[in-house]
Amino acid sequence: MDTLFPFEHMLSEINSYGYLVIALGKRQNSLDDKFLNKARNSMFPHVIDWIRAQFANLLSEFYQSANLQKIAIAGQF
């Protein structure tokens, strides 16, 4: 994802249904913030590895709380 700001409401809505939403890329604080730091496609496997590690970590807030059999990835160009 290029930035979070334009998609904040959509991602919050998805999260409100119980989905874990992870946004990649540098946070944009306003629509006037023109610098975009796009996430590379190669980052997605690392995010999946991260949530798997968090799922198994007793100290993580995500311990045993994600359905690792149902992972979706979305993005834009």
Side-chain angles (χ1 to χ4, degrees):
M1 173 179 306
D2 294 346
T3 61
L4 176 61
F5 189 77
F7 304 99
E8 184 174 0
H9 294 293
M10 179 192 71
L11 296 174
S12 293
E13 179 73 17
I14 292 169
N15 181 250
S16 74
Y17 287 95
Y19 292 93
L20 172 64
V21 174
I22 301 171
L24 300 176
K26 185 175 180 179
R27 182 172 176 86
Q28 179 184 15
N29 295 313
S30 74
L31 290 175
D32 295 329
D33 185 0
K34 299 294 183 194
F35 179 74
L36 299 178
N37 184 10
K38 294 183 178 185
R40 297 176 318 279
N41 288 342
S42 62
M43 293 174 73
F44 287 109
H46 298 289
V47 171
I48 294 170
D49 291 343
W50 177 83
I51 194 58
R52 288 183 191 279
Q54 296 302 305
F55 181 83
N57 182 349
L58 287 168
L59 302 176
S60 172
E61 66 182 290
F62 301 109
Y63 176 71
Q64 300 290 311
S65 66
N67 184 340
L68 301 180
Q69 301 303 313
K70 296 183 178 182
I71 297 175
I73 298 173
Q76 64 180 29
F77 293 99

